Every structure is written in C-alpha cells, then in structure tokens.
Amino acid sequence: MTDERADLIFTGGAVYTVDAARRWAQALAVTRGTITAVGTDEQARALAGPGTEVVDLAGRMLLPGFQDAHCHPPGGGYDILHCNLSDAYSLEEYEGIVLEYVAAHPDSEWIVGGGWSMDIFPGGNPSKDVLDRLVPDRPVYFPSRDGHSVWVNSKALEIAGVTKDTLDPADGWIVRDADGAPAGTLHEGASELVNKHVPDETMEDWIAALRVAQKYLHSLGITAWQDAIVGLDSSYRTFEAYLAFAGGDELTARVIAALWWNRHRGIEQVDDLIAARARGPVGRFAATSVKIMQDGVIENQTAGVLEPYLDAEGNVTENRGRSFVDPEELKAVVTRLDAEGFQVHFHAIAERAVREALDAIESARQVNGPNDLRHHISHIQVIHPDDLPRFRELGVVANAQPLWAMNEGQMLHLTIPFLGPKRSAWQYPFGSLVRAGAVLAMGSDWSVSSPDPIEEIHVAVNRQAPASYVYGGESGDVFLPEERIDLATAIAGFTINAAYVNHLDDVAGSIEVGKFADLAVVDRNLFAQPVEEIYQGTVEATYVQGERVYQV
Ligand SMILES: [Zn+2]
C-alpha cells in the first residue's frame, strides 16, 4: 500500500488473480503502472482520488495479461500484410485470395505470403499447376502454415534453376512428378533453393509487420510473448527490427527473443549470440534465449521418432525422421549455451527429438550444475512415457501448443496413420505432464495456428475443436480424454507459467500487489459456464503497466 492515489481502479469484477493460492478478488487499484491493491471494491476505492479512472467491470472477468510462450509475431504480421492464406481452409478459397492479391499488387515482383494447410492437398503436397494457372508470369513463394514446406510456381522454380536434375539437399527434399521434375512443393531445407532468390525483407518491412502483429495480439489479451525465432542474418532481420521497435518506444508488449541457432554453423556462433544479447535489454525487449530446432514435423515425416514411420498402407518404413543437430553435438552446444547463461528453447516434435533435447539438458546439468535458466521444449507432440518424469527431474518446462491437441484433418489424415496406434496415444500428454509434476507453459506458435489464448485454453480443457473452428471441421471425438487439463491449469499455462518461462514471473503473470498491471478484461467469467463454451469468451480490453493498449 502507498499513500499515493491510484491512477486506475477496477471494481465489481470477477478478478482471477492466478496468485499462488489462485485467489479471487472483486477489485484492484493501479498506481503508476503497478498494482497497489487487490481485494474488495471498498479496498480499491479507498485509494481513489479525484483524478482516478474507474473501470466498472460489471461482473466481467479480469485476468493477468496472457503471455504466449512460443510464437512468431513478425511472421504473423508479415502474413497479414501479404497474400494471407492462413484464415482460409479450402483450395477454392486459396485461389480466390491469390487472384485478389495478385490483382491488387501489380508491382510486386514476387508474390509472397502463405499459410496453407497441408491436409487440403493430396499427401500434403500442393501442385505448381494451380499457381501457374493463377500467376503465370511472376514467381510465387508460399510457406505452409507450419513453415516446414513451401508451395511454389514454375516461374519461381525457373528463377531458382530448380529442375529434374537438381539434387535434394541433405536437410530436405523436392516433391517430384513421375518424370522427376519438381512438382511444386519443397519440404524443409529444400525451400532454401528458392528462398535465397526471394528478395530479403527490409528492416522497415519487419517493423511494419511487428506493428500489426502487436496490435492483433493485444486485441487477444496478450501482453508478453517469447518470439521463438529471432533472426540475426539478412534473410530474417527480426532482431534488428525488434531493437528499433523497442528503442522507438513502440513496443508495448514484453518480448523475450529466442535467437535462432543456425544448424549449418557450429559452436563458434555462440560468440555472435552473446554479442546480440549484450545489445539489450532495450525497453521491454531482451534476447536471452536461444532456439534450437531439433527435428521437423510428423506431417512430412521429418520429426525424429524412435521407431520408424508407417507408410500410407500401414507398412513399417525405414524412415525415423531427422535430427537436425547431431545428438552428441547437441549435448556440447547446450552445455556451452547453458554455461553462457542462455535459456535454450527447443523445437522437438516427436519422441526421439524430445529425448535428445532432455539428454542434452541432462549433460549440461552434469557439467555445469543446476541453475535457473528454465530451458524449455516446445511442441512435445509425442513423448515416450519413460521421459515424462524427466521434465520435473531436470527442471525443464513443457511448452505446449494446445490448439493442436484435437482430431482435426491434419491429425486424422497426416499424423495418426504414420505414427501407428501406440505412439498416437502418446500425443500432447498435457495431463500426464501435469501429473508428473512438470511446469506446463503454453503458446500458440502463431502464425502456424491461431494466437487466440481463449480458443487455445478451450482446446486444452476439451481436447475438441470449438464450434467456431474453421480448419477441418472433423472435430469428432475427444482427443485422448485422459490428457485433458482443467481450466485453472490451462489459464496458468498462458499466464504465470508462460511468465515463468519468460523470466517475467517476478513482475507479471499474476495479479498481485507490486507486480505490473498487465491485464486482460474478458466479457464473461470463464469458470461460470459449461467448459464446452469457453471459446465464446472474448477479450474486451488489454492493459500493459496500467496503459490501455486495446479496447473493443
Ligand atoms: Zn514455432
């Protein structure tokens, strides 16, 4: 408490604090950006003066601002500003969007954008013929929603000189027609063959993308995030863009950058990462994490599995996916990053990659001893049951993208058939992780999928698509019902536990006296209605440090 009058008070609400006791309150007071009272209307009003703004919540819910533990806002903003397929879910819709975009951008040398869903196309592979018909004269470069594959037209292949004689690179492959000619889809590292010819975005492009992304995320109640790929090189200059954006006082969100680990370089890049980190923090931006992508994705069978994938007929193949960093090298890299005080943020989809990440952290622990860096593994789509307790033992945060834990098209057609029944039942084991004592933080992976935390919380609780879901309406059965988590646990994943992985839990992530007033107002109390209706909740206002950054 302080003698100063509050600048802002909220009264008459369902204030869900997400403090250690998960207490509820009715009201709170904010003084110079910091929470100075949490309690009853009377207690908050006691701090009001003539200049105090009073927000009557009228029964609405007040939560800590949501934090997204894994997302790509520059890419999401870029999609919004370019040929954006991510809100559509059929080939006809894609064609309409492309035609409209091409007509509206006669001067664009390249047609870029993307966000297509693999399960729209046979085998997950779109054909160049469709794009050739729509855009015969200019090159097209469209990454998929998950960014692991790219759809191109003939003009783009021609400019890149990719023909039937082009060999597949070591870390990806070109989908080919019966004659061996490129068919229009490039997976994983093969995208680089064309990508290097796409003009690099300028720093101004990335700042423009950040501006629209931040606005959109604030409209969903998000006040902080961890950017899961912040690039230092010229093809993805988002680090410089964040520094400029934060330095120009435009960054209202709190952002932790996970600097990209370039798997084509070695341990010598640690020096560059240290130098980058030392350029911050600037404003609310700090680059204290390093992102290592250890495997690909299951849909194109590049995720690292212990037992081989099945083929479409259910026969066992030879393919166990990829380890983008050799597991022994990974141990050395993680041990070094850990010694340098970096948090390591892994991309690990399938059970072998998850194990390799855990093994690497175990090695670092053995060499460097315990610390508070809070390494985390994102995606954790398949976890071998033996590895579940290791998250708690090693202090590794499980970073989940709950929107993927449902029976939608990609799961039914491109995942379960290739994993087989035993492993398919190990997917997204959120309930098991919680029961094993893991800290479960959550994020969206936007623009891979929607960044709306309420929709994501809905799926974490229900393991079923909300009625509003547009991608592959086959919501059907509850997906592995024993892995559902309760609403309080799901909200914690997007508030205090995401704040924990962002090292922001001392200043945000819960509503407590002394913390920043980072807040989200939701139109209804999410606990006071059937869980099947959680998705109907909408954010009506968002505050960072007591400043309103969004209002409906
Ligand atoms: Zn990601």
Side-chain angles (χ1 to χ4, degrees), residues 70 72 291 379 445:
H70 180 124
H72 307 282
K291 169 73 172 302
H379 308 325
D445 210 5

Side-chain angles (χ1 to χ4, degrees), residues 70-72 228-229 291 293 347 379 445-446 448:
H70 180 124
C71 60
H72 307 282
I229 300 180
K291 169 73 172 302
M293 185 172 285
H347 163 119
H379 308 325
D445 210 5
W446 185 54
V448 173

